[in-house]
Amino acid sequence: MTTIRQRRVGKGTEAAEDQPSEETNVKPDGKILSDPTGGKLWNILSITVGGIFAISLGLLTSVYVATLHENDLWFSNIKEVEREISFRTECGLYYSYYKQMIQAASIQQGLHGLVYDNKTESVRTINILERMNVYQEVFLSILYRILPIQQYLEPVYFYIYTLFGLQAVYVIALYVTSWLLSGTWLSGLLAACWYITNRVDTTRVEFTIPLRENWALPFFAVQIAAITYLLRTHLQPVQERLTLTAVFIATFLFSLTWQFNQFMMLIQALALFILDCLDMLPTAKVTWLYIIQISGLLLVCVLQFFNSMILGSLLISFNVSVLIARTIQKNLKKGGLLNRLGKLILHVLLVLCLTLLINKFIKKILNLESDEHIFKFLKAKFGFGATRDFDANLYLCEEAFGLLPLNTFSRLSSTLLFYAYGFVLFLLTVAAVIVAFRNLSGSNQVQLKEKMEEYTVTLKPDAAYSLVHTVLFGCLALSTMRMKYLWTSHMCVFASFGLCSTEVWKLILKCLHLYTSQRTQVIKYSVPIITLLYISFKFWPGIMDELSELREFYDPDTVELMNWIKSNTPNTAVFAGSMQLLAGVKLCTGRTLTNHPHYEDKNLRERTKQIYQIYAKRSPSDVYGILRSFGTDYVILEDSICYERRHSRGCRLRDLLDVANGHIMDGLGENEPDLKPSLYPRFCEEIKKNLPSYTMHFTRVFQNKTFHVYKLAKHK
């Protein structure tokens, strides 16, 4: 069991280009710049200062999370095996391929080992580059080999510093997005400060470094910043082409680095679809974004040796369906309110039907079942019938895939972020409803247009996209806690943009009949400055205390296990056990595994369920036969799983196995009526009694307080 113990002492601000506003040449003090030359100099100075702040805050965030990582683990002082064990579960699996590439005799041999891998899944040869998103590990390992840094920097530091460096890119992208939306770099400064002070809810990079999302989310933030700029009006053709190129590159890199990219971009495509239907975005730009998503995903598909899960993604089916439906319904945006609503309903139904038909057809042709566990999980999560499916229940019982805890909002409120977010969200949602109604009604009455004018200024295309984006990803975060990091980071952007937006304050003051240009400028700058001062005074001492708190990594049982495996088993030995532990076994020892945590493959899921019978109520001969069918030489049993108390009854791993096998669960409580008692005791408990029926198949060769390792007999 890993613990962290106390360390022992002895051992633009003001005028972003192409941002239409009444007050284009206004200083923070409210004075109007009448001299064009002075205005240009002020803009240059503003952009320079804003850029310096952006880069400084990005670098500061990188240093901050790197320091927290070092202080929590004493990473610079612990042994290599302890460093590797600190990369838990799938993090260790991904890092193992970086290590494998570094240790290979040549780059070509390293790539060959990944394309024809027979150590990740025993008795099978798989293509790691096709199955997993590990091109970043490949690229980084090649970079480390060719750069003259081997004498100065260990491979593990090159790896983690790259991830911490990406946090700088992430923060700068959030800063720039907020700046573009509001027209002032003060908004970006507030967004970055909120990101840092809400670190617990905005990132987990310091303790899950190799996780795919830590690679992908910085590129997603860059993509959103590029889309925000693209949706501005009056862009020059060269600006538009360069921005589309930036969107494509960011989309491609995001897709390449995370296997769940397709689901995130599907939500993004839904946001574009909603806004396009309501005539809030330029159709031509939306079309380009659909095409970029498809082409970026298809390019990744080619690089991943035509990964069928990508080809069968809902995103490709949805985007193609939208483009087809738009071709069929050419007059979608003409007519009165009722006419438009009728056409929209037909359009939505057509897109939905086409999406399902195309997706079903692709999956039928490719015989694709890689992502079926996700849809089983979603079906069970949202109450469309109970399920005994082992894979679905495995997700349902994990806290990370549950609802967002309520204490998240109290933490976000302590920094004023949630209050500001709710305030801005309410205002822009009201404005969006009014603008949508006006667009659908198609009214040209001058009186109505004058009445609506004060609302339209607060909902330019980029602001409309940001609104729908935050609402959809907010729904995702509320339903699945693990996805909150996609929402909370954009929450910082959205809230800071609203507090620093001329249009938002202009709308409020006009509604209160208090509007003047000077008053708007005073509020626009004073509110974020006061908020920044509050955050600084309240949280700076806590951050300093956090940075001064020193701990160290401590997991002697796992260290002892890994050292024993390296010293006492052949290099070709095959190990079975929990998929989380086996990822560490592969990284630390290089031994062959029966299963692992990368769950996006049907055969692997079925294999994992079979391996996990070591924690079920099965006979020793059954378990032996299952393990030997996968070439197992050693099996590792963990007391923390066999006698699990972390989950409640019904969600313990042994309970999930019992239900899937049709057996009643242990302990007091109800069981479904068709479940029956097992004929055999629980394997992981009974094997420790050294009964003859067990010792004829299994011999204990290692034991400590946490782990029990048994060697399998090789019967003829």
Side-chain angles (χ1 to χ4, degrees):
M1 190 72 167
T2 304
T3 59
I4 302 297
R5 64 181 185 182
Q6 201 68 26
R7 189 179 300 179
R8 296 176 189 163
V9 178
K11 192 179 169 184
T13 307
E14 285 46 282
E17 65 260 46
D18 300 310
Q19 187 79 4
S21 175
E22 264 181 32
E23 296 77 36
T24 48
N25 291 324
V26 181
K27 286 187 178 182
D29 58 9
K31 295 180 180 179
I32 307 295
L33 289 171
S34 56
D35 180 18
T37 306
K40 288 181 180 179
L41 290 173
W42 176 254
N43 288 344
I44 292 171
L45 178 63
S46 170
I47 291 170
T48 303
V49 172
I52 291 171
F53 269 119
I55 295 170
S56 300
L57 281 168
L59 294 174
L60 183 65
T61 305
S62 292
V63 173
Y64 176 47
V65 293
T67 304
L68 288 177
H69 176 258
E70 168 63 24
N71 289 356
D72 276 344
L73 302 177
W74 206 0
F75 201 74
S76 60
N77 188 69
I78 58 179
K79 300 174 183 177
E80 182 181 2
V81 65
E82 292 176 306
R83 291 176 179 175
E84 292 176 346
I85 291 170
S86 72
F87 297 138
R88 289 291 176 185
T89 66
E90 59 185 296
C91 297
L93 182 67
Y94 299 133
Y95 182 78
S96 73
Y97 299 118
Y98 170 76
K99 179 181 177 181
Q100 183 177 324
M101 283 289 296
I102 292 288
Q103 293 179 343
S106 65
I107 294 173
Q108 292 79 4
Q109 187 174 328
L111 290 172
H112 185 273
L114 293 180
V115 175
Y116 301 98
D117 180 277
N118 54 15
K119 296 185 76 68
T120 302
E121 293 178 18
S122 58
V123 302
R124 288 185 71 188
T125 298
I126 63 172
N127 185 344
I128 298 298
L129 296 181
E130 184 265 334
R131 282 273 295 276
M132 305 181 196
N133 298 68
V134 294
Y135 269 102
Q136 52 268 48
E137 276 76 21
V138 172
F139 173 75
L140 216 57
S141 63
I142 293 174
L143 202 60
Y144 182 81
R145 294 176 71 116
I146 62 176
L147 291 176
I149 57 175
Q150 288 88 344
Q151 294 180 349
Y152 315 105
L153 195 65
E154 296 176 61
V156 67
Y157 276 106
F158 184 65
Y159 187 90
I160 66 173
Y161 286 165
T162 299
L163 267 299
F164 293 144
L166 277 177
Q167 282 294 296
V169 175
Y170 197 4
V171 170
I172 291 170
L174 297 176
Y175 184 110
V176 169
T177 304
S178 188
W179 186 354
L180 290 171
L181 285 167
S182 66
T184 168
W185 56 258
L186 189 61
S187 172
L189 180 63
L190 182 57
C193 289
W194 262 332
Y195 179 87
I196 295 169
T197 53
N198 290 282
R199 174 188 58 80
V200 172
D201 295 300
T202 55
T203 183
R204 50 179 177 167
V205 66
E206 74 274 13
F207 61 90
T208 59
I209 298 174
L211 210 60
R212 301 300 82 182
E213 67 190 50
N214 294 328
W215 285 97
L217 292 186
F219 299 122
F220 193 49
V222 171
Q223 186 226 41
I224 293 170
I227 289 175
T228 302
Y229 187 78
L230 177 69
L231 294 177
R232 289 182 157 204
T233 55
H234 312 302
L235 285 184
Q236 297 296 323
V238 64
Q239 291 176 312
E240 193 167 308
R241 286 194 294 270
L242 288 173
T243 308
L244 285 170
T245 303
V247 172
F248 174 78
I249 293 171
T251 301
F252 166 70
L253 292 174
F254 172 66
S255 303
L256 189 66
T257 50
W258 195 17
Q259 69 268 31
F260 295 133
N261 63 77
Q262 53 179 291
F263 302 105
M264 305 308 112
M265 289 200 296
L266 176 62
I267 295 174
Q268 190 177 56
L270 284 172
L272 295 171
F273 177 70
I274 292 168
L275 291 167
D276 186 32
C277 287
L278 298 176
D279 210 13
M280 290 184 176
L281 295 183
T283 300
K285 291 182 179 179
V286 172
T287 303
W288 271 113
L289 291 174
Y290 285 143
I291 293 170
I292 284 173
Q293 284 189 331
I294 295 172
S295 55
L297 209 55
L298 289 178
L299 181 55
V300 171
C301 181
V302 172
L303 287 175
Q304 288 195 258
F305 297 81
F306 297 94
N307 184 305
S308 59
M309 188 173 171
I310 296 175
L311 291 173
S313 68
L314 275 174
L315 174 67
I316 291 179
S317 302
F318 177 79
N319 285 8
V320 170
S321 299
V322 172
L323 297 176
I324 293 172
R326 189 188 288 168
T327 305
I328 296 172
Q329 292 178 289
K330 293 183 179 179
N331 297 322
L332 188 64
K333 299 184 179 181
K334 294 181 180 179
L337 178 60
L338 294 178
N339 194 349
R340 288 281 301 270
L341 284 175
K343 288 179 179 179
L344 268 183
I345 292 170
L346 286 174
H347 183 64
V348 171
L349 289 174
L350 179 59
V351 169
L352 182 62
C353 292
L354 280 173
T355 300
L356 295 176
L357 284 172
I358 293 172
N359 193 253
K360 190 77 174 176
F361 176 75
I362 293 173
K363 288 185 175 180
K364 190 75 174 175
I365 293 294
L366 299 176
N367 193 26
L368 177 61
E369 296 176 311
S370 298
D371 57 356
E372 65 176 5
H373 65 300
I374 297 173
F375 295 104
K376 286 180 181 177
F377 160 71
L378 292 174
K379 183 180 175 181
K381 183 177 180 66
F382 295 110
F384 296 105
T387 179
R388 289 186 181 176
D389 183 78
F390 175 75
D391 301 317
N393 285 328
L394 204 57
Y395 282 106
L396 285 171
C397 287
E398 283 300 321
E399 184 183 1
F401 293 94
L403 299 177
L404 188 67
L406 292 177
N407 61 7
T408 305
F409 300 105
S410 62
R411 288 195 300 270
L412 295 173
S413 299
S414 67
T415 63
L416 303 182
L417 172 58
F418 190 66
Y419 296 129
Y421 177 79
F423 168 71
V424 177
L425 183 64
F426 173 76
L427 284 175
L428 292 191
T429 300
V430 172
V433 171
I434 295 172
V435 172
F437 178 79
R438 187 195 64 180
N439 290 348
L440 291 177
S441 64
S443 174
N444 291 318
Q445 296 178 23
V446 175
Q447 186 178 359
L448 181 61
K449 288 183 73 174
E450 289 176 353
K451 188 176 180 181
M452 296 293 186
E453 187 176 355
E454 60 185 282
Y455 296 101
T456 57
V457 73
T458 65
L459 213 65
K460 301 185 295 294
D462 52 0
Y465 171 76
S466 188
L467 171 65
V468 179
H469 178 101
T470 196
V471 168
L472 293 182
F473 278 97
C475 292
L476 177 66
L478 290 171
S479 66
T480 308
M481 187 184 75
R482 183 176 177 178
M483 298 301 172
K484 72 175 180 179
Y485 303 102
L486 289 149
W487 182 43
T488 50
S489 58
H490 193 264
M491 187 187 287
C492 301
V493 170
F494 190 77
S496 61
F497 141 64
L499 292 188
C500 299
S501 171
T502 300
E503 288 77 17
V504 168
W505 292 114
K506 178 180 173 183
L507 168 62
I508 295 170
L509 292 175
K510 279 192 173 183
C511 289
L512 298 173
H513 304 289
L514 296 172
Y515 172 73
T516 65
S517 176
Q518 289 77 13
R519 189 173 290 150
T520 304
Q521 292 300 309
V522 169
I523 296 175
K524 171 183 175 178
Y525 291 106
S526 61
V527 171
I529 288 173
I530 291 170
T531 305
L532 281 168
L533 289 173
Y534 170 81
I535 293 171
S536 300
F537 281 112
K538 182 174 181 180
F539 292 98
W540 182 257
I543 291 174
M544 291 297 100
D545 289 342
E546 187 180 34
L547 289 173
S548 63
E549 191 172 353
L550 303 178
R551 301 185 181 93
E552 67 176 310
F553 177 86
Y554 186 71
D555 189 0
D557 290 348
T558 307
V559 171
E560 184 184 12
L561 172 68
M562 299 304 172
N563 287 334
W564 181 87
I565 291 173
K566 284 194 288 187
S567 303
N568 296 276
T569 64
N571 292 335
T572 56
V574 177
F575 278 80
S578 70
M579 49 187 176
Q580 294 85 357
L581 177 63
L582 290 186
V585 170
K586 184 181 188 308
L587 170 59
C588 298
T589 70
R591 302 304 188 262
T592 304
L593 314 180
T594 55
N595 54 310
H596 56 82
H598 191 83
Y599 221 48
E600 281 66 54
D601 179 76
K602 185 180 181 181
N603 290 327
L604 176 67
R605 292 194 295 272
E606 292 175 348
R607 175 187 281 230
T608 298
K609 181 182 175 183
Q610 289 298 308
I611 296 294
Y612 277 6
Q613 297 303 310
I614 59 179
Y615 297 109
K617 298 172 182 176
R618 298 290 294 270
S619 70
S621 57
D622 284 349
V623 175
Y624 176 80
I626 290 169
L627 295 176
R628 286 303 299 161
S629 69
F630 299 118
T632 308
D633 296 312
Y634 297 87
V635 59
I636 307 172
L637 296 174
E638 300 170 62
D639 286 346
S640 59
I641 297 178
C642 191
Y643 307 106
E644 182 184 359
R645 295 181 181 178
R646 185 169 68 94
H647 292 105
S648 60
R649 184 178 184 270
C651 266
R652 299 169 298 190
L653 179 61
R654 62 181 186 267
D655 297 334
L656 302 183
L657 291 163
D658 288 343
V659 171
N661 293 340
H663 300 151
I664 61 172
M665 296 181 287
D666 293 339
L668 299 175
E670 296 183 357
N671 289 283
E672 293 184 33
D674 59 331
L675 296 178
K676 308 213 182 288
S678 173
L679 298 174
Y680 303 97
R682 194 166 303 283
F683 177 84
C684 64
E685 296 175 358
E686 202 70 9
I687 192 174
K688 296 168 186 174
K689 297 178 181 178
N690 292 324
L691 299 175
S693 57
Y694 289 83
T695 55
M696 68 181 294
H697 300 300
F698 304 94
T699 303
R700 184 159 56 199
V701 291
F702 174 83
Q703 177 185 3
N704 63 21
K705 290 183 295 182
T706 305
F707 304 105
H708 303 261
V709 181
Y710 292 86
K711 184 175 182 180
L712 275 69
K714 295 188 177 180
H715 303 309
K716 293 184 180 179

